[in-house]
PDB file of all heavy atoms in Angstrom:
ATOM      1  N   THR R  76      57.540 -11.107  28.439  1.00  0.00           N
ATOM      2  CA  THR R  76      58.719 -10.361  28.850  1.00  0.00           C
ATOM      3  C   THR R  76      58.417  -9.512  30.068  1.00  0.00           C
ATOM      4  O   THR R  76      57.290  -9.022  30.235  1.00  0.00           O
ATOM      5  CB  THR R  76      59.224  -9.461  27.714  1.00  0.00           C
ATOM      6  OG1 THR R  76      58.158  -8.578  27.328  1.00  0.00           O
ATOM      7  CG2 THR R  76      59.629 -10.289  26.508  1.00  0.00           C
ATOM      8  N   ALA R  77      59.437  -9.366  30.909  1.00  0.00           N
ATOM      9  CA  ALA R  77      59.309  -8.549  32.128  1.00  0.00           C
ATOM     10  C   ALA R  77      58.029  -8.909  32.865  1.00  0.00           C
ATOM     11  O   ALA R  77      57.151  -8.070  33.081  1.00  0.00           O
ATOM     12  CB  ALA R  77      59.326  -7.066  31.762  1.00  0.00           C
ATOM     13  N   SER R  78      57.923 -10.182  33.222  1.00  0.00           N
ATOM     14  CA  SER R  78      56.667 -10.716  33.760  1.00  0.00           C
ATOM     15  C   SER R  78      56.185  -9.955  34.998  1.00  0.00           C
ATOM     16  O   SER R  78      56.966  -9.433  35.791  1.00  0.00           O
ATOM     17  CB  SER R  78      56.833 -12.196  34.095  1.00  0.00           C
ATOM     18  OG  SER R  78      57.857 -12.379  35.035  1.00  0.00           O
ATOM     19  N   GLN R  79      54.866  -9.914  35.096  1.00  0.00           N
ATOM     20  CA  GLN R  79      54.203  -9.254  36.223  1.00  0.00           C
ATOM     21  C   GLN R  79      53.431 -10.313  37.003  1.00  0.00           C
ATOM     22  O   GLN R  79      53.124 -11.392  36.483  1.00  0.00           O
ATOM     23  CB  GLN R  79      53.235  -8.192  35.703  1.00  0.00           C
ATOM     24  CG  GLN R  79      53.879  -7.175  34.788  1.00  0.00           C
ATOM     25  CD  GLN R  79      52.863  -6.321  34.051  1.00  0.00           C
ATOM     26  OE1 GLN R  79      51.689  -6.315  34.396  1.00  0.00           O
ATOM     27  NE2 GLN R  79      53.312  -5.610  33.035  1.00  0.00           N
ATOM     28  N   LEU R  80      53.084 -10.006  38.236  1.00  0.00           N
ATOM     29  CA  LEU R  80      52.324 -10.947  39.062  1.00  0.00           C
ATOM     30  C   LEU R  80      51.026 -11.357  38.376  1.00  0.00           C
ATOM     31  O   LEU R  80      50.576 -12.496  38.480  1.00  0.00           O
ATOM     32  CB  LEU R  80      52.028 -10.336  40.438  1.00  0.00           C
ATOM     33  CG  LEU R  80      53.231 -10.046  41.328  1.00  0.00           C
ATOM     34  CD1 LEU R  80      52.781  -9.359  42.617  1.00  0.00           C
ATOM     35  CD2 LEU R  80      54.010 -11.311  41.643  1.00  0.00           C
ATOM     36  N   SER R  81      50.439 -10.425  37.639  1.00  0.00           N
ATOM     37  CA  SER R  81      49.156 -10.678  36.975  1.00  0.00           C
ATOM     38  C   SER R  81      49.276 -11.680  35.831  1.00  0.00           C
ATOM     39  O   SER R  81      48.265 -12.154  35.316  1.00  0.00           O
ATOM     40  CB  SER R  81      48.570  -9.372  36.429  1.00  0.00           C
ATOM     41  OG  SER R  81      49.439  -8.802  35.459  1.00  0.00           O
ATOM     42  N   TYR R  82      50.484 -12.015  35.432  1.00  0.00           N
ATOM     43  CA  TYR R  82      50.659 -12.992  34.349  1.00  0.00           C
ATOM     44  C   TYR R  82      50.462 -14.429  34.828  1.00  0.00           C
ATOM     45  O   TYR R  82      50.375 -15.341  34.011  1.00  0.00           O
ATOM     46  CB  TYR R  82      52.062 -12.872  33.748  1.00  0.00           C
ATOM     47  CG  TYR R  82      52.296 -11.676  32.878  1.00  0.00           C
ATOM     48  CD1 TYR R  82      51.313 -10.704  32.703  1.00  0.00           C
ATOM     49  CD2 TYR R  82      53.513 -11.483  32.240  1.00  0.00           C
ATOM     50  CE1 TYR R  82      51.536  -9.595  31.911  1.00  0.00           C
ATOM     51  CE2 TYR R  82      53.749 -10.380  31.440  1.00  0.00           C
ATOM     52  CZ  TYR R  82      52.766  -9.445  31.287  1.00  0.00           C
ATOM     53  OH  TYR R  82      52.996  -8.344  30.503  1.00  0.00           O
ATOM     54  N   SER R  83      50.403 -14.625  36.118  1.00  0.00           N
ATOM     55  CA  SER R  83      50.226 -15.976  36.658  1.00  0.00           C
ATOM     56  C   SER R  83      48.927 -16.584  36.152  1.00  0.00           C
ATOM     57  O   SER R  83      47.908 -15.899  36.044  1.00  0.00           O
ATOM     58  CB  SER R  83      50.207 -15.951  38.190  1.00  0.00           C
ATOM     59  OG  SER R  83      51.474 -15.590  38.688  1.00  0.00           O
ATOM     60  N   GLY R  84      48.976 -17.850  35.845  1.00  0.00           N
ATOM     61  CA  GLY R  84      47.797 -18.556  35.352  1.00  0.00           C
ATOM     62  C   GLY R  84      48.233 -19.720  34.487  1.00  0.00           C
ATOM     63  O   GLY R  84      49.426 -20.028  34.400  1.00  0.00           O
ATOM     64  N   THR R  85      47.265 -20.338  33.852  1.00  0.00           N
ATOM     65  CA  THR R  85      47.565 -21.432  32.928  1.00  0.00           C
ATOM     66  C   THR R  85      47.355 -20.942  31.508  1.00  0.00           C
ATOM     67  O   THR R  85      46.306 -20.373  31.198  1.00  0.00           O
ATOM     68  CB  THR R  85      46.671 -22.648  33.213  1.00  0.00           C
ATOM     69  OG1 THR R  85      46.887 -23.074  34.559  1.00  0.00           O
ATOM     70  CG2 THR R  85      47.014 -23.791  32.260  1.00  0.00           C
ATOM     71  N   TYR R  86      48.336 -21.173  30.667  1.00  0.00           N
ATOM     72  CA  TYR R  86      48.292 -20.723  29.283  1.00  0.00           C
ATOM     73  C   TYR R  86      47.996 -21.909  28.369  1.00  0.00           C
ATOM     74  O   TYR R  86      48.617 -22.964  28.480  1.00  0.00           O
ATOM     75  CB  TYR R  86      49.616 -20.067  28.891  1.00  0.00           C
ATOM     76  CG  TYR R  86      49.819 -18.739  29.566  1.00  0.00           C
ATOM     77  CD1 TYR R  86      50.219 -18.668  30.898  1.00  0.00           C
ATOM     78  CD2 TYR R  86      49.585 -17.544  28.882  1.00  0.00           C
ATOM     79  CE1 TYR R  86      50.381 -17.444  31.535  1.00  0.00           C
ATOM     80  CE2 TYR R  86      49.755 -16.321  29.504  1.00  0.00           C
ATOM     81  CZ  TYR R  86      50.146 -16.278  30.831  1.00  0.00           C
ATOM     82  OH  TYR R  86      50.302 -15.072  31.453  1.00  0.00           O
ATOM     83  N   PHE R  87      47.046 -21.690  27.485  1.00  0.00           N
ATOM     84  CA  PHE R  87      46.665 -22.736  26.539  1.00  0.00           C
ATOM     85  C   PHE R  87      46.881 -22.248  25.115  1.00  0.00           C
ATOM     86  O   PHE R  87      46.531 -21.105  24.785  1.00  0.00           O
ATOM     87  CB  PHE R  87      45.185 -23.094  26.680  1.00  0.00           C
ATOM     88  CG  PHE R  87      44.832 -23.778  27.956  1.00  0.00           C
ATOM     89  CD1 PHE R  87      44.299 -23.074  29.020  1.00  0.00           C
ATOM     90  CD2 PHE R  87      45.030 -25.145  28.101  1.00  0.00           C
ATOM     91  CE1 PHE R  87      43.966 -23.713  30.205  1.00  0.00           C
ATOM     92  CE2 PHE R  87      44.703 -25.791  29.279  1.00  0.00           C
ATOM     93  CZ  PHE R  87      44.168 -25.068  30.336  1.00  0.00           C
ATOM     94  N   CYS R  88      47.424 -23.114  24.292  1.00  0.00           N
ATOM     95  CA  CYS R  88      47.397 -22.828  22.858  1.00  0.00           C
ATOM     96  C   CYS R  88      46.286 -23.661  22.248  1.00  0.00           C
ATOM     97  O   CYS R  88      46.009 -24.785  22.683  1.00  0.00           O
ATOM     98  CB  CYS R  88      48.746 -23.117  22.191  1.00  0.00           C
ATOM     99  SG  CYS R  88      49.170 -24.868  22.039  1.00  0.00           S
ATOM    100  N   GLY R  89      45.644 -23.105  21.250  1.00  0.00           N
ATOM    101  CA  GLY R  89      44.617 -23.805  20.507  1.00  0.00           C
ATOM    102  C   GLY R  89      44.985 -23.774  19.040  1.00  0.00           C
ATOM    103  O   GLY R  89      45.471 -22.760  18.540  1.00  0.00           O
ATOM    104  N   THR R  90      44.783 -24.888  18.359  1.00  0.00           N
ATOM    105  CA  THR R  90      45.178 -24.953  16.959  1.00  0.00           C
ATOM    106  C   THR R  90      44.022 -25.343  16.069  1.00  0.00           C
ATOM    107  O   THR R  90      43.188 -26.178  16.431  1.00  0.00           O
ATOM    108  CB  THR R  90      46.325 -25.964  16.755  1.00  0.00           C
ATOM    109  OG1 THR R  90      45.916 -27.246  17.267  1.00  0.00           O
ATOM    110  CG2 THR R  90      47.593 -25.528  17.461  1.00  0.00           C
ATOM    111  N   LEU R  91      43.968 -24.699  14.901  1.00  0.00           N
ATOM    112  CA  LEU R  91      42.977 -25.018  13.881  1.00  0.00           C
ATOM    113  C   LEU R  91      43.760 -25.531  12.684  1.00  0.00           C
ATOM    114  O   LEU R  91      44.608 -24.821  12.149  1.00  0.00           O
ATOM    115  CB  LEU R  91      42.181 -23.777  13.515  1.00  0.00           C
ATOM    116  CG  LEU R  91      40.957 -23.984  12.634  1.00  0.00           C
ATOM    117  CD1 LEU R  91      39.847 -24.658  13.420  1.00  0.00           C
ATOM    118  CD2 LEU R  91      40.458 -22.649  12.093  1.00  0.00           C
ATOM    119  N   SER R  92      43.481 -26.744  12.282  1.00  0.00           N
ATOM    120  CA  SER R  92      44.264 -27.316  11.192  1.00  0.00           C
ATOM    121  C   SER R  92      43.744 -26.845   9.835  1.00  0.00           C
ATOM    122  O   SER R  92      42.645 -26.302   9.731  1.00  0.00           O
ATOM    123  CB  SER R  92      44.221 -28.844  11.253  1.00  0.00           C
ATOM    124  OG  SER R  92      42.962 -29.305  10.829  1.00  0.00           O
ATOM    125  N   ASN R  93      44.559 -27.076   8.808  1.00  0.00           N
ATOM    126  CA  ASN R  93      44.161 -26.726   7.441  1.00  0.00           C
ATOM    127  C   ASN R  93      42.987 -27.566   6.963  1.00  0.00           C
ATOM    128  O   ASN R  93      42.266 -27.197   6.054  1.00  0.00           O
ATOM    129  CB  ASN R  93      45.338 -26.947   6.486  1.00  0.00           C
ATOM    130  CG  ASN R  93      46.311 -25.797   6.548  1.00  0.00           C
ATOM    131  OD1 ASN R  93      45.981 -24.716   6.997  1.00  0.00           O
ATOM    132  ND2 ASN R  93      47.527 -26.055   6.102  1.00  0.00           N
ATOM    133  N   SER R  94      42.840 -28.759   7.567  1.00  0.00           N
ATOM    134  CA  SER R  94      41.900 -29.731   7.024  1.00  0.00           C
ATOM    135  C   SER R  94      40.637 -29.901   7.849  1.00  0.00           C
ATOM    136  O   SER R  94      39.877 -30.824   7.626  1.00  0.00           O
ATOM    137  CB  SER R  94      42.600 -31.089   6.907  1.00  0.00           C
ATOM    138  OG  SER R  94      43.087 -31.497   8.178  1.00  0.00           O
ATOM    139  N   GLY R  95      40.412 -29.025   8.833  1.00  0.00           N
ATOM    140  CA  GLY R  95      39.220 -29.241   9.643  1.00  0.00           C
ATOM    141  C   GLY R  95      38.759 -27.972  10.313  1.00  0.00           C
ATOM    142  O   GLY R  95      39.314 -26.890  10.096  1.00  0.00           O
ATOM    143  N   TYR R  96      37.743 -28.132  11.143  1.00  0.00           N
ATOM    144  CA  TYR R  96      37.158 -26.976  11.811  1.00  0.00           C
ATOM    145  C   TYR R  96      37.183 -27.114  13.331  1.00  0.00           C
ATOM    146  O   TYR R  96      36.562 -26.343  14.033  1.00  0.00           O
ATOM    147  CB  TYR R  96      35.714 -26.819  11.349  1.00  0.00           C
ATOM    148  CG  TYR R  96      35.581 -26.838   9.841  1.00  0.00           C
ATOM    149  CD1 TYR R  96      34.989 -27.912   9.187  1.00  0.00           C
ATOM    150  CD2 TYR R  96      36.074 -25.793   9.070  1.00  0.00           C
ATOM    151  CE1 TYR R  96      34.890 -27.933   7.809  1.00  0.00           C
ATOM    152  CE2 TYR R  96      35.974 -25.809   7.697  1.00  0.00           C
ATOM    153  CZ  TYR R  96      35.382 -26.879   7.059  1.00  0.00           C
ATOM    154  OH  TYR R  96      35.297 -26.906   5.707  1.00  0.00           O
ATOM    155  N   ALA R  97      37.906 -28.110  13.808  1.00  0.00           N
ATOM    156  CA  ALA R  97      37.992 -28.318  15.249  1.00  0.00           C
ATOM    157  C   ALA R  97      39.117 -27.471  15.820  1.00  0.00           C
ATOM    158  O   ALA R  97      40.239 -27.504  15.315  1.00  0.00           O
ATOM    159  CB  ALA R  97      38.248 -29.795  15.558  1.00  0.00           C
ATOM    160  N   LEU R  98      38.836 -26.725  16.863  1.00  0.00           N
ATOM    161  CA  LEU R  98      39.856 -25.930  17.538  1.00  0.00           C
ATOM    162  C   LEU R  98      40.297 -26.718  18.763  1.00  0.00           C
ATOM    163  O   LEU R  98      39.583 -26.776  19.763  1.00  0.00           O
ATOM    164  CB  LEU R  98      39.286 -24.570  17.932  1.00  0.00           C
ATOM    165  CG  LEU R  98      40.250 -23.604  18.615  1.00  0.00           C
ATOM    166  CD1 LEU R  98      41.472 -23.350  17.748  1.00  0.00           C
ATOM    167  CD2 LEU R  98      39.549 -22.287  18.922  1.00  0.00           C
ATOM    168  N   ASN R  99      41.480 -27.325  18.664  1.00  0.00           N
ATOM    169  CA  ASN R  99      41.986 -28.200  19.701  1.00  0.00           C
ATOM    170  C   ASN R  99      42.976 -27.484  20.602  1.00  0.00           C
ATOM    171  O   ASN R  99      43.867 -26.785  20.120  1.00  0.00           O
ATOM    172  CB  ASN R  99      42.687 -29.404  19.074  1.00  0.00           C
ATOM    173  CG  ASN R  99      41.727 -30.268  18.286  1.00  0.00           C
ATOM    174  OD1 ASN R  99      40.726 -30.743  18.811  1.00  0.00           O
ATOM    175  ND2 ASN R  99      42.010 -30.472  17.023  1.00  0.00           N
ATOM    176  N   PHE R 100      42.833 -27.685  21.903  1.00  0.00           N
ATOM    177  CA  PHE R 100      43.727 -27.044  22.858  1.00  0.00           C
ATOM    178  C   PHE R 100      44.745 -28.037  23.422  1.00  0.00           C
ATOM    179  O   PHE R 100      44.469 -29.231  23.528  1.00  0.00           O
ATOM    180  CB  PHE R 100      42.926 -26.444  24.021  1.00  0.00           C
ATOM    181  CG  PHE R 100      42.201 -25.187  23.657  1.00  0.00           C
ATOM    182  CD1 PHE R 100      40.889 -25.229  23.217  1.00  0.00           C
ATOM    183  CD2 PHE R 100      42.831 -23.952  23.761  1.00  0.00           C
ATOM    184  CE1 PHE R 100      40.216 -24.071  22.873  1.00  0.00           C
ATOM    185  CE2 PHE R 100      42.168 -22.788  23.424  1.00  0.00           C
ATOM    186  CZ  PHE R 100      40.853 -22.847  22.986  1.00  0.00           C
TER     187      PHE R 100
END
Side-chain angles (χ1 to χ4, degrees):
Chain R
T76 58
S78 59
Q79 305 168 13
L80 295 176
S81 62
Y82 286 4
S83 293
T85 301
Y86 290 78
F87 292 98
C88 71
T90 56
L91 190 72
S92 74
N93 280 341
S94 58
Y96 309 110
L98 182 57
N99 296 303
F100 285 93

